[in-house]
Amino acid sequence: MNSVPDRSDSRAAYRPSGDAADRAAVWSALLDIYAGFTASDRERIDARIHPEATVWDSAVPELLFGRADLDRIRADRPTGPDAPKVVAIHAFDEVIDVWGDVALARYELRVEFAPAADGTVAAPERIRNTAVARRFGSEWLVVHNHEDVLA
């Protein structure tokens, strides 16, 4: 019987590419996006995403092209007292490679929600994410993002 190595075996065998400082800078830029989200600071988020980035958003089936598409999806998100409210986003298990001015980051998110008006609390979401970033001057900007909500 073939067995697939468990995650810890594959992670232990993995050796990241690129400079450790670049990998840390990419991770810091990604974490800043989620800090901006929980602070409701769209300007902070957008400062880390290239204006022409493509996005596979978990809430919509089509590929988004640039800030205009992203803003359209944002405008369609539920609002008001009955809308789900994110209270925390935890990013973890990052695997980042850097090749010159291009980086590939793979990681997971755990999204936690505030209680609803009736007191019920939605189960946290687990999201698998892949981001491609490019260095522009001294800044790393996301040029493509792909997220999937895991069951």
Side-chain angles (χ1 to χ4, degrees):
M1 179 165 118
N2 277 342
S3 67
V4 176
D6 72 22
R7 187 174 184 176
S8 60
D9 288 345
S10 62
R11 187 171 294 278
Y14 174 76
R15 299 291 179 261
S17 298
D19 180 73
D22 284 339
R23 292 192 313 269
V26 169
W27 188 233
S28 177
L30 292 168
L31 293 176
D32 198 40
I33 290 171
Y34 302 116
F37 186 88
T38 57
S40 299
D41 187 344
R42 186 174 290 181
E43 186 174 309
R44 183 175 178 182
I45 297 165
D46 288 350
R48 299 296 189 167
I49 302 171
H50 191 278
E52 296 176 17
T54 55
V55 176
W56 287 111
D57 188 282
S58 63
V60 296
E62 74 268 12
L63 181 62
L64 306 179
F65 290 91
R67 185 76 40 83
D69 272 359
L70 184 56
D71 284 343
R72 177 178 51 82
I73 296 305
R74 289 168 166 167
D76 288 344
R77 290 183 179 147
T79 59
D82 294 334
K85 174 150 176 43
V86 173
V87 293
I89 301 175
H90 306 283
F92 60 97
D93 280 350
E94 71 276 11
V95 175
I96 300 171
D97 289 294
V98 176
W99 303 279
D101 289 336
V102 176
L104 177 64
R106 292 81 82 193
Y107 55 97
E108 292 185 43
L109 301 171
R110 178 183 164 93
V111 180
E112 297 176 4
F113 300 94
D118 65 3
T120 61
V121 179
E125 284 185 345
R126 185 172 154 220
I127 298 173
R128 175 176 52 203
N129 201 304
T130 301
V132 179
R134 259 185 79 197
R135 185 187 346 240
F136 293 89
S138 62
E139 298 293 321
W140 287 96
L141 300 180
V142 172
V143 295
H144 177 73
N145 192 66
H146 186 146
E147 64 182 23
D148 295 310
V149 175
L150 302 174

